[in-house]
Amino acid sequence: MKSAYEYLPFIYAIFGVAAIWLSNEPVGRGSGILLVTASLAIFKMRLDYRKERAERAEENLLKMRAVRKGRAEGAEESLLRTRMELKSYQVD
């Protein structure tokens, strides 16, 4: 089960849309726009971080494999092969 932390951007977006839709005041609509913008920014930052973390883990895995095989020169070929393997397991 996901923690409340994972659902916060959804909550921000829902309340932001509700504020835009239900408010007749400029302050309410402005707040709604800020909430929606914040939720989109959080989604993007989380996605970027998760991609970066996956890339670092992939690089570390490849380095470990190269060291274990004792052939650091062949790491590029191994990197390409492992990337193809990892992409087949990734869920978007």
Coordinates of all heavy atoms in Angstrom, one line a residue:
M1 N 0.8 -1.2 0.0 CA 0.0 0.0 0.0 C 0.9 1.2 0.0 O 1.9 1.3 0.7 CB -0.9 0.0 1.2 CG -1.8 1.1 1.3 SD -3.1 0.9 2.6 CE -4.2 2.1 2.1
K2 N 0.5 2.2 -0.8 CA 1.3 3.4 -0.9 C 1.0 4.3 0.3 O 0.0 4.3 0.9 CB 0.9 4.2 -2.1 CG 1.3 3.5 -3.4 CD 1.0 4.4 -4.6 CE 1.5 3.7 -5.9 NZ 1.3 4.5 -7.0
S3 N 2.0 5.1 0.7 CA 1.9 6.0 1.8 C 1.2 7.3 1.3 O 0.9 7.5 0.2 CB 3.3 6.4 2.3 OG 4.0 7.2 1.3
A4 N 0.8 8.1 2.3 CA 0.0 9.3 2.0 C 0.9 10.3 1.2 O 0.4 11.0 0.4 CB -0.4 10.0 3.3
Y5 N 2.2 10.2 1.4 CA 3.2 11.0 0.6 C 2.9 10.8 -0.9 O 3.0 11.8 -1.7 CB 4.6 10.6 1.0 CG 5.6 11.1 0.1 CD1 6.1 12.4 0.3 CD2 6.2 10.4 -0.9 CE1 7.1 12.9 -0.5 CE2 7.2 10.9 -1.7 CZ 7.7 12.2 -1.5 OH 8.6 12.7 -2.3
E6 N 2.7 9.6 -1.3 CA 2.5 9.3 -2.8 C 1.2 10.0 -3.3 O 1.1 10.3 -4.5 CB 2.4 7.8 -3.0 CG 3.7 7.1 -2.8 CD 4.8 7.5 -3.9 OE1 4.4 7.7 -5.0 OE2 6.0 7.6 -3.5
Y7 N 0.2 10.2 -2.5 CA -1.1 10.7 -2.9 C -1.2 12.2 -2.8 O -2.2 12.8 -3.3 CB -2.2 10.1 -2.1 CG -2.3 8.6 -2.4 CD1 -2.0 7.7 -1.4 CD2 -2.8 8.1 -3.6 CE1 -2.1 6.3 -1.6 CE2 -2.9 6.7 -3.8 CZ -2.6 5.8 -2.8 OH -2.7 4.5 -3.0
L8 N -0.2 12.9 -2.2 CA -0.3 14.3 -2.0 C -0.5 15.1 -3.3 O -1.4 16.0 -3.4 CB 0.9 14.8 -1.2 CG 0.8 14.6 0.3 CD1 2.1 15.1 0.9 CD2 -0.4 15.2 0.9
P9 N 0.2 14.8 -4.4 CA 0.0 15.6 -5.6 C -1.4 15.4 -6.2 O -2.0 16.4 -6.7 CB 1.0 15.0 -6.6 CG 2.1 14.4 -5.7 CD 1.4 13.9 -4.5
F10 N -2.0 14.2 -6.0 CA -3.4 14.1 -6.5 C -4.3 14.9 -5.7 O -5.2 15.5 -6.2 CB -3.8 12.6 -6.4 CG -3.0 11.7 -7.3 CD1 -2.1 10.8 -6.7 CD2 -3.2 11.7 -8.6 CE1 -1.3 10.0 -7.6 CE2 -2.5 10.8 -9.5 CZ -1.6 9.9 -8.9
I11 N -4.1 14.9 -4.4 CA -4.9 15.7 -3.5 C -4.8 17.2 -3.8 O -5.8 17.9 -3.9 CB -4.6 15.5 -2.0 CG1 -4.9 14.0 -1.7 CG2 -5.3 16.4 -1.1 CD1 -4.4 13.5 -0.3
Y12 N -3.5 17.7 -4.1 CA -3.3 19.1 -4.4 C -4.1 19.4 -5.7 O -4.7 20.4 -5.8 CB -1.9 19.4 -4.7 CG -1.0 19.2 -3.4 CD1 0.4 19.0 -3.6 CD2 -1.5 19.3 -2.2 CE1 1.2 18.9 -2.5 CE2 -0.7 19.2 -1.1 CZ 0.7 19.0 -1.2 OH 1.5 18.9 -0.2
A13 N -4.0 18.5 -6.7 CA -4.7 18.8 -8.0 C -6.2 18.8 -7.8 O -6.8 19.7 -8.4 CB -4.3 17.7 -9.0
I14 N -6.7 17.9 -7.0 CA -8.2 17.8 -6.8 C -8.7 19.1 -6.2 O -9.6 19.7 -6.6 CB -8.6 16.6 -6.0 CG1 -8.4 15.3 -6.9 CG2 -10.0 16.7 -5.5 CD1 -8.5 14.0 -6.1
F15 N -8.0 19.5 -5.1 CA -8.4 20.7 -4.4 C -8.2 22.0 -5.3 O -8.9 22.9 -5.2 CB -7.7 20.9 -3.1 CG -8.3 20.1 -2.0 CD1 -7.8 18.8 -1.6 CD2 -9.5 20.5 -1.3 CE1 -8.4 18.1 -0.6 CE2 -10.1 19.8 -0.3 CZ -9.6 18.6 0.0
G16 N -7.1 22.0 -6.1 CA -6.9 23.1 -7.0 C -7.9 23.2 -8.0 O -8.4 24.3 -8.2
V17 N -8.3 22.1 -8.6 CA -9.4 22.2 -9.6 C -10.7 22.6 -9.0 O -11.5 23.4 -9.5 CB -9.6 20.8 -10.3 CG1 -10.8 20.8 -11.2 CG2 -8.3 20.6 -11.2
A18 N -11.0 22.1 -7.8 CA -12.2 22.5 -7.1 C -12.2 24.0 -6.7 O -13.2 24.7 -6.9 CB -12.3 21.7 -5.8
A19 N -11.0 24.5 -6.3 CA -10.9 25.9 -6.0 C -11.2 26.8 -7.2 O -11.8 27.8 -7.2 CB -9.6 26.2 -5.4
I20 N -10.6 26.4 -8.4 CA -10.8 27.1 -9.6 C -12.3 27.1 -10.0 O -12.8 28.1 -10.4 CB -9.9 26.5 -10.7 CG1 -8.4 26.8 -10.4 CG2 -10.3 27.1 -12.1 CD1 -7.5 26.0 -11.3
W21 N -12.9 25.9 -9.9 CA -14.2 25.7 -10.4 C -15.2 26.4 -9.5 O -16.2 27.0 -9.9 CB -14.5 24.3 -10.5 CG -15.8 23.9 -11.2 CD1 -16.8 24.7 -11.5 CD2 -16.2 22.7 -11.7 NE1 -17.8 24.0 -12.1 CE2 -17.4 22.8 -12.3 CE3 -15.5 21.4 -11.7 CZ2 -18.1 21.7 -12.8 CZ3 -16.2 20.4 -12.3 CH2 -17.4 20.5 -12.9
L22 N -15.1 26.3 -8.2 CA -16.1 26.7 -7.2 C -15.9 28.1 -6.8 O -16.9 28.7 -6.2 CB -16.1 25.8 -6.0 CG -16.5 24.3 -6.4 CD1 -16.3 23.5 -5.1 CD2 -17.9 24.2 -6.9
S23 N -14.8 28.7 -6.9 CA -14.5 30.0 -6.4 C -14.9 31.1 -7.4 O -14.6 31.0 -8.6 CB -13.0 30.2 -6.0 OG -12.8 31.5 -5.5
N24 N -15.5 32.2 -6.9 CA -15.8 33.3 -7.7 C -14.9 34.5 -7.4 O -14.9 35.5 -8.1 CB -17.3 33.8 -7.4 CG -18.3 32.8 -7.8 OD1 -18.1 32.1 -8.8 ND2 -19.4 32.7 -7.1
E25 N -14.0 34.3 -6.5 CA -13.0 35.3 -6.1 C -11.7 35.1 -6.8 O -11.3 33.9 -6.9 CB -12.8 35.3 -4.6 CG -14.1 35.6 -3.8 CD -14.5 37.0 -4.0 OE1 -13.7 37.9 -4.1 OE2 -15.8 37.2 -4.0
P26 N -11.0 36.1 -7.2 CA -9.7 36.0 -7.8 C -8.7 35.3 -6.9 O -7.8 34.5 -7.4 CB -9.2 37.4 -8.1 CG -10.5 38.2 -8.1 CD -11.4 37.5 -7.2
V27 N -8.7 35.5 -5.6 CA -7.8 34.9 -4.7 C -8.0 33.4 -4.7 O -7.1 32.6 -4.7 CB -8.0 35.4 -3.2 CG1 -7.1 34.7 -2.3 CG2 -7.6 36.9 -3.2
G28 N -9.3 32.9 -4.7 CA -9.6 31.5 -4.7 C -9.1 30.8 -6.0 O -8.5 29.7 -5.9
R29 N -9.4 31.5 -7.1 CA -8.9 30.9 -8.4 C -7.4 30.9 -8.5 O -6.8 30.0 -9.0 CB -9.5 31.7 -9.5 CG -11.0 31.4 -9.6 CD -11.6 32.0 -10.8 NE -13.1 31.7 -10.7 CZ -13.8 31.6 -11.8 NH1 -13.3 31.7 -13.0 NH2 -15.1 31.3 -11.7
G30 N -6.8 32.0 -8.0 CA -5.3 32.0 -8.0 C -4.7 30.9 -7.1 O -3.7 30.3 -7.5
S31 N -5.4 30.7 -6.0 CA -4.9 29.6 -5.1 C -5.1 28.2 -5.8 O -4.2 27.3 -5.7 CB -5.7 29.6 -3.8 OG -5.5 30.7 -3.1
G32 N -6.2 28.1 -6.5 CA -6.4 26.8 -7.2 C -5.3 26.6 -8.3 O -4.8 25.5 -8.5
I33 N -5.0 27.7 -9.0 CA -4.0 27.6 -10.1 C -2.6 27.2 -9.4 O -1.9 26.4 -10.0 CB -3.9 28.9 -10.8 CG1 -5.1 29.1 -11.7 CG2 -2.6 28.9 -11.7 CD1 -5.3 30.4 -12.3
L34 N -2.3 27.8 -8.3 CA -1.1 27.5 -7.6 C -1.0 26.0 -7.2 O 0.0 25.3 -7.3 CB -0.9 28.4 -6.4 CG -0.5 29.8 -6.7 CD1 -0.4 30.7 -5.5 CD2 0.9 29.8 -7.4
L35 N -2.2 25.5 -6.7 CA -2.2 24.1 -6.2 C -2.0 23.2 -7.4 O -1.3 22.2 -7.3 CB -3.5 23.8 -5.5 CG -3.7 24.3 -4.1 CD1 -5.1 24.2 -3.6 CD2 -2.7 23.5 -3.2
V36 N -2.7 23.4 -8.5 CA -2.5 22.6 -9.7 C -1.1 22.6 -10.2 O -0.5 21.6 -10.5 CB -3.5 23.0 -10.8 CG1 -3.2 22.2 -12.1 CG2 -4.9 22.7 -10.3
T37 N -0.5 23.8 -10.2 CA 0.9 24.0 -10.7 C 1.8 23.2 -9.8 O 2.8 22.6 -10.2 CB 1.3 25.5 -10.7 OG1 0.3 26.2 -11.6 CG2 2.7 25.7 -11.2
A38 N 1.6 23.3 -8.5 CA 2.4 22.6 -7.5 C 2.3 21.1 -7.7 O 3.4 20.4 -7.7 CB 2.1 23.0 -6.1
S39 N 1.1 20.6 -7.9 CA 1.0 19.2 -8.1 C 1.7 18.7 -9.4 O 2.4 17.7 -9.4 CB -0.5 18.8 -8.2 OG -1.1 19.2 -9.4
L40 N 1.7 19.5 -10.5 CA 2.4 19.1 -11.7 C 3.9 19.2 -11.5 O 4.6 18.3 -12.0 CB 2.0 20.0 -12.8 CG 0.5 19.9 -13.3 CD1 0.2 21.0 -14.3 CD2 0.2 18.5 -13.9
A41 N 4.4 20.1 -10.8 CA 5.8 20.3 -10.5 C 6.3 19.1 -9.7 O 7.3 18.5 -9.9 CB 6.1 21.6 -9.8
I42 N 5.5 18.7 -8.7 CA 5.9 17.5 -7.8 C 5.9 16.2 -8.7 O 6.8 15.4 -8.5 CB 4.9 17.4 -6.6 CG1 5.1 18.6 -5.7 CG2 5.1 16.1 -5.9 CD1 4.0 18.7 -4.6
F43 N 4.9 16.0 -9.5 CA 4.9 14.9 -10.4 C 6.2 14.8 -11.2 O 6.8 13.8 -11.4 CB 3.7 14.9 -11.4 CG 2.4 14.4 -10.8 CD1 1.3 15.2 -10.8 CD2 2.3 13.1 -10.2 CE1 0.1 14.7 -10.3 CE2 1.2 12.7 -9.6 CZ 0.0 13.5 -9.7
K44 N 6.5 15.9 -11.8 CA 7.7 16.0 -12.7 C 9.0 15.7 -11.9 O 9.9 15.0 -12.4 CB 7.8 17.3 -13.4 CG 9.0 17.4 -14.4 CD 9.0 18.6 -15.2 CE 10.2 18.7 -16.2 NZ 11.2 17.8 -16.0
M45 N 9.1 16.4 -10.8 CA 10.3 16.2 -10.0 C 10.5 14.7 -9.5 O 11.6 14.1 -9.6 CB 10.3 17.1 -8.8 CG 10.6 18.5 -9.1 SD 10.8 19.6 -7.7 CE 9.1 19.7 -7.1
R46 N 9.4 14.1 -9.1 CA 9.4 12.7 -8.7 C 9.8 11.8 -9.9 O 10.6 10.9 -9.8 CB 8.1 12.2 -8.1 CG 7.8 12.8 -6.8 CD 6.6 12.3 -6.2 NE 6.3 12.9 -4.9 CZ 5.2 12.6 -4.2 NH1 4.3 11.8 -4.7 NH2 5.0 13.2 -3.1
L47 N 9.2 12.0 -11.1 CA 9.5 11.3 -12.2 C 11.0 11.4 -12.6 O 11.7 10.4 -12.9 CB 8.7 11.7 -13.4 CG 8.9 10.9 -14.7 CD1 8.5 9.5 -14.6 CD2 8.1 11.6 -15.8
D48 N 11.5 12.6 -12.6 CA 12.9 12.9 -13.0 C 13.8 12.2 -12.0 O 14.8 11.5 -12.3 CB 13.2 14.4 -13.0 CG 12.6 15.1 -14.1 OD1 12.2 14.4 -15.1 OD2 12.6 16.3 -14.1
Y49 N 13.5 12.2 -10.7 CA 14.4 11.6 -9.7 C 14.4 10.1 -9.8 O 15.4 9.4 -9.7 CB 13.9 12.0 -8.3 CG 14.6 11.2 -7.2 CD1 15.9 11.5 -6.8 CD2 14.0 10.2 -6.5 CE1 16.6 10.8 -5.8 CE2 14.6 9.4 -5.6 CZ 15.9 9.8 -5.2 OH 16.6 9.1 -4.3
R50 N 13.2 9.5 -10.1 CA 13.1 8.1 -10.2 C 13.9 7.6 -11.5 O 14.5 6.5 -11.4 CB 11.7 7.6 -10.2 CG 11.0 7.8 -8.9 CD 9.6 7.5 -8.9 NE 9.1 7.7 -7.5 CZ 7.8 7.9 -7.2 NH1 6.9 7.8 -8.1 NH2 7.4 8.1 -5.9
K51 N 13.8 8.3 -12.5 CA 14.6 8.0 -13.7 C 16.1 8.1 -13.4 O 16.8 7.2 -13.8 CB 14.2 8.9 -14.9 CG 12.9 8.6 -15.6 CD 12.7 9.5 -16.8 CE 11.4 9.2 -17.4 NZ 11.2 10.1 -18.6
E52 N 16.5 9.1 -12.8 CA 17.9 9.3 -12.5 C 18.4 8.2 -11.6 O 19.5 7.6 -11.8 CB 18.1 10.7 -11.8 CG 19.6 11.0 -11.5 CD 19.7 12.3 -10.8 OE1 19.0 13.3 -11.2 OE2 20.5 12.4 -9.8
R53 N 17.6 7.8 -10.6 CA 18.0 6.8 -9.6 C 18.1 5.4 -10.4 O 19.0 4.7 -10.1 CB 17.0 6.7 -8.5 CG 17.4 5.8 -7.4 CD 16.4 5.8 -6.3 NE 15.1 5.2 -6.8 CZ 14.0 5.1 -6.1 NH1 14.0 5.6 -4.8 NH2 13.0 4.5 -6.6
A54 N 17.2 5.2 -11.3 CA 17.3 3.9 -12.1 C 18.5 3.9 -12.9 O 19.2 2.8 -13.1 CB 16.0 3.8 -12.9
E55 N 18.9 5.0 -13.5 CA 20.1 5.1 -14.4 C 21.3 4.8 -13.5 O 22.2 4.1 -13.9 CB 20.2 6.4 -15.1 CG 19.1 6.6 -16.2 CD 19.1 8.0 -16.7 OE1 19.9 8.9 -16.3 OE2 18.2 8.2 -17.6
R56 N 21.4 5.4 -12.3 CA 22.5 5.2 -11.5 C 22.6 3.8 -11.0 O 23.7 3.2 -11.0 CB 22.5 6.1 -10.2 CG 22.9 7.5 -10.5 CD 23.0 8.3 -9.2 NE 21.7 8.1 -8.5 CZ 21.1 9.1 -7.8 NH1 21.7 10.2 -7.7 NH2 20.0 8.9 -7.2
A57 N 21.5 3.2 -10.7 CA 21.5 1.8 -10.3 C 22.0 0.9 -11.5 O 22.7 -0.1 -11.3 CB 20.1 1.3 -9.9
E58 N 21.6 1.2 -12.7 CA 22.0 0.5 -13.8 C 23.5 0.6 -14.1 O 24.2 -0.4 -14.3 CB 21.2 1.0 -15.1 CG 21.6 0.4 -16.4 CD 20.9 1.0 -17.5 OE1 19.9 1.7 -17.3 OE2 21.3 0.7 -18.7
E59 N 24.0 1.8 -13.9 CA 25.5 2.0 -14.1 C 26.2 1.2 -13.0 O 27.3 0.6 -13.4 CB 25.8 3.5 -14.0 CG 25.3 4.2 -15.2 CD 25.5 5.7 -15.1 OE1 26.1 6.2 -14.1 OE2 25.1 6.5 -16.0
N60 N 25.8 1.2 -11.8 CA 26.5 0.5 -10.7 C 26.4 -1.0 -11.0 O 27.4 -1.7 -10.8 CB 25.8 0.8 -9.4 CG 26.2 2.2 -8.9 OD1 27.2 2.8 -9.3 ND2 25.3 2.8 -8.0
L61 N 25.3 -1.5 -11.5 CA 25.2 -2.9 -11.8 C 26.2 -3.3 -12.9 O 26.8 -4.3 -12.8 CB 23.7 -3.2 -12.2 CG 23.5 -4.6 -12.7 CD1 23.7 -5.6 -11.6 CD2 22.1 -4.7 -13.3
L62 N 26.3 -2.5 -13.9 CA 27.2 -2.7 -15.0 C 28.6 -2.7 -14.6 O 29.4 -3.5 -15.0 CB 26.9 -1.7 -16.1 CG 25.6 -1.9 -16.8 CD1 25.4 -0.8 -17.8 CD2 25.4 -3.2 -17.5
K63 N 29.0 -1.8 -13.7 CA 30.3 -1.7 -13.2 C 30.7 -3.0 -12.4 O 31.7 -3.5 -12.5 CB 30.5 -0.5 -12.3 CG 30.6 0.8 -13.1 CD 30.7 2.0 -12.1 CE 30.6 3.3 -12.9 NZ 30.7 4.5 -12.0
M64 N 29.7 -3.4 -11.5 CA 29.9 -4.6 -10.8 C 30.1 -5.8 -11.7 O 30.9 -6.7 -11.4 CB 28.7 -4.8 -9.8 CG 28.7 -3.9 -8.6 SD 27.3 -4.0 -7.5 CE 26.9 -5.7 -7.5
R65 N 29.3 -5.9 -12.7 CA 29.4 -7.0 -13.6 C 30.8 -7.0 -14.3 O 31.4 -8.1 -14.5 CB 28.3 -7.0 -14.7 CG 27.0 -7.5 -14.2 CD 26.0 -7.6 -15.3 NE 24.7 -8.1 -14.8 CZ 23.7 -8.3 -15.6 NH1 23.8 -8.0 -16.9 NH2 22.6 -8.8 -15.1
A66 N 31.2 -5.8 -14.7 CA 32.5 -5.7 -15.4 C 33.6 -6.1 -14.5 O 34.6 -6.8 -14.9 CB 32.7 -4.3 -15.9
V67 N 33.6 -5.7 -13.2 CA 34.6 -6.1 -12.3 C 34.6 -7.6 -12.0 O 35.7 -8.2 -12.0 CB 34.4 -5.3 -11.0 CG1 35.3 -5.8 -9.9 CG2 34.7 -3.8 -11.2
R68 N 33.4 -8.1 -11.9 CA 33.3 -9.6 -11.6 C 33.9 -10.4 -12.8 O 34.5 -11.4 -12.6 CB 31.9 -10.0 -11.3 CG 31.4 -9.6 -10.0 CD 30.1 -10.1 -9.7 NE 29.6 -9.6 -8.4 CZ 28.4 -9.6 -8.0 NH1 27.4 -10.0 -8.8 NH2 28.0 -9.2 -6.8
K69 N 33.6 -9.9 -14.0 CA 34.1 -10.7 -15.1 C 35.6 -10.4 -15.4 O 36.2 -11.0 -16.2 CB 33.3 -10.3 -16.4 CG 31.9 -10.8 -16.3 CD 31.1 -10.5 -17.6 CE 29.7 -11.1 -17.5 NZ 28.9 -10.8 -18.7
G70 N 36.1 -9.4 -14.7 CA 37.5 -9.0 -14.9 C 37.8 -8.4 -16.2 O 39.0 -8.5 -16.7
R71 N 36.9 -7.8 -16.8 CA 37.1 -7.2 -18.1 C 36.5 -5.8 -18.2 O 35.4 -5.6 -18.8 CB 36.7 -8.1 -19.3 CG 35.3 -8.5 -19.1 CD 34.9 -9.4 -20.3 NE 33.4 -9.3 -20.4 CZ 32.7 -9.3 -21.5 NH1 33.3 -9.2 -22.6 NH2 31.4 -9.2 -21.4
A72 N 37.1 -4.9 -17.6 CA 36.6 -3.5 -17.6 C 36.5 -2.9 -19.0 O 35.6 -2.1 -19.3 CB 37.5 -2.6 -16.8
E73 N 37.3 -3.4 -19.9 CA 37.3 -2.9 -21.3 C 36.0 -3.3 -22.0 O 35.5 -2.5 -22.9 CB 38.5 -3.4 -22.1 CG 39.8 -3.0 -21.6 CD 40.3 -3.9 -20.5 OE1 39.8 -5.1 -20.4 OE2 41.1 -3.5 -19.7
G74 N 35.4 -4.4 -21.6 CA 34.2 -4.8 -22.3 C 32.9 -4.3 -21.6 O 31.8 -4.8 -21.9
A75 N 33.1 -3.3 -20.8 CA 31.9 -2.8 -20.0 C 30.9 -2.1 -20.9 O 29.7 -2.2 -20.7 CB 32.4 -1.8 -19.0
E76 N 31.4 -1.5 -22.0 CA 30.4 -0.8 -22.9 C 29.4 -1.8 -23.5 O 28.2 -1.6 -23.6 CB 31.2 -0.1 -24.0 CG 31.8 1.2 -23.5 CD 30.7 2.2 -23.1 OE1 29.6 2.3 -23.8 OE2 31.0 3.0 -22.2
E77 N 30.0 -2.9 -24.0 CA 29.1 -4.0 -24.6 C 28.2 -4.5 -23.6 O 27.0 -4.7 -23.8 CB 30.0 -5.1 -25.2 CG 29.2 -6.2 -25.9 CD 30.2 -7.3 -26.4 OE1 31.3 -7.0 -26.7 OE2 29.7 -8.4 -26.4
S78 N 28.7 -4.8 -22.4 CA 27.9 -5.3 -21.3 C 26.8 -4.3 -20.9 O 25.7 -4.6 -20.6 CB 28.7 -5.6 -20.1 OG 28.0 -6.0 -19.0
L79 N 27.2 -3.0 -21.0 CA 26.2 -1.9 -20.6 C 25.0 -1.9 -21.6 O 23.9 -1.9 -21.2 CB 26.9 -0.6 -20.7 CG 26.1 0.7 -20.6 CD1 25.5 0.7 -19.2 CD2 26.9 1.9 -20.8
L80 N 25.3 -2.0 -22.9 CA 24.2 -2.1 -23.9 C 23.3 -3.3 -23.7 O 22.1 -3.2 -23.8 CB 24.8 -2.0 -25.3 CG 25.5 -0.8 -25.7 CD1 26.2 -0.9 -27.1 CD2 24.5 0.4 -25.7
R81 N 24.0 -4.4 -23.5 CA 23.2 -5.7 -23.3 C 22.3 -5.5 -22.0 O 21.1 -5.9 -22.0 CB 24.1 -6.8 -23.1 CG 23.9 -7.9 -24.1 CD 24.7 -9.2 -23.9 NE 25.7 -9.2 -22.9 CZ 27.0 -9.0 -23.3 NH1 27.4 -8.8 -24.5 NH2 28.0 -9.0 -22.3
T82 N 22.9 -5.0 -20.9 CA 22.1 -4.9 -19.7 C 21.0 -3.9 -19.8 O 19.9 -4.1 -19.3 CB 23.0 -4.6 -18.5 OG1 24.1 -5.5 -18.5 CG2 22.3 -4.6 -17.2
R83 N 21.2 -2.8 -20.5 CA 20.2 -1.8 -20.7 C 19.0 -2.4 -21.4 O 17.9 -2.1 -21.1 CB 20.7 -0.6 -21.5 CG 21.5 0.3 -20.6 CD 21.9 1.6 -21.4 NE 22.6 2.5 -20.5 CZ 23.4 3.4 -20.9 NH1 23.6 3.6 -22.2 NH2 24.1 4.2 -20.0
M84 N 19.3 -3.2 -22.4 CA 18.2 -3.8 -23.1 C 17.4 -4.8 -22.2 O 16.2 -4.9 -22.3 CB 18.7 -4.6 -24.4 CG 19.4 -3.7 -25.4 SD 18.2 -2.4 -26.0 CE 17.1 -3.4 -27.0
E85 N 18.1 -5.5 -21.4 CA 17.5 -6.4 -20.4 C 16.6 -5.7 -19.4 O 15.5 -6.0 -19.2 CB 18.5 -7.2 -19.7 CG 19.3 -8.3 -20.5 CD 20.4 -8.9 -19.8 OE1 20.5 -8.7 -18.5 OE2 21.2 -9.6 -20.4
L86 N 17.2 -4.6 -18.9 CA 16.5 -3.8 -17.9 C 15.2 -3.1 -18.5 O 14.2 -3.0 -17.9 CB 17.4 -2.7 -17.3 CG 18.4 -3.3 -16.4 CD1 19.4 -2.1 -15.9 CD2 17.8 -3.9 -15.2
K87 N 15.3 -2.6 -19.8 CA 14.2 -2.0 -20.4 C 13.0 -3.0 -20.6 O 11.9 -2.6 -20.5 CB 14.6 -1.4 -21.7 CG 15.4 -0.1 -21.6 CD 15.7 0.5 -22.9 CE 16.7 1.6 -22.7 NZ 16.2 2.9 -22.9
S88 N 13.3 -4.2 -20.8 CA 12.3 -5.2 -20.9 C 11.5 -5.5 -19.6 O 10.4 -5.9 -19.6 CB 12.8 -6.5 -21.5 OG 13.6 -7.1 -20.5
Y89 N 12.1 -5.1 -18.5 CA 11.5 -5.3 -17.2 C 10.8 -4.0 -16.6 O 10.1 -4.1 -15.7 CB 12.5 -5.8 -16.1 CG 13.0 -7.1 -16.4 CD1 14.3 -7.3 -16.8 CD2 12.2 -8.3 -16.3 CE1 14.8 -8.6 -17.1 CE2 12.7 -9.5 -16.5 CZ 14.0 -9.7 -16.9 OH 14.5 -10.9 -17.2
Q90 N 11.1 -2.9 -17.3 CA 10.6 -1.6 -16.7 C 9.1 -1.5 -17.0 O 8.6 -1.9 -18.0 CB 11.3 -0.4 -17.4 CG 12.7 -0.2 -16.8 CD 13.3 1.0 -17.5 OE1 12.9 1.5 -18.4 NE2 14.5 1.4 -16.9
V91 N 8.4 -0.9 -16.0 CA 7.0 -0.6 -16.1 C 6.8 0.9 -16.2 O 7.3 1.6 -15.3 CB 6.2 -1.2 -14.9 CG1 4.8 -0.8 -15.0 CG2 6.4 -2.7 -14.8
D92 N 6.1 1.4 -17.2 CA 6.0 2.9 -17.3 C 4.7 3.3 -16.6 O 3.8 2.8 -16.3 CB 5.8 3.3 -18.8 CG 7.2 3.1 -19.5 OD1 8.2 3.0 -18.8 OD2 7.1 3.1 -20.7

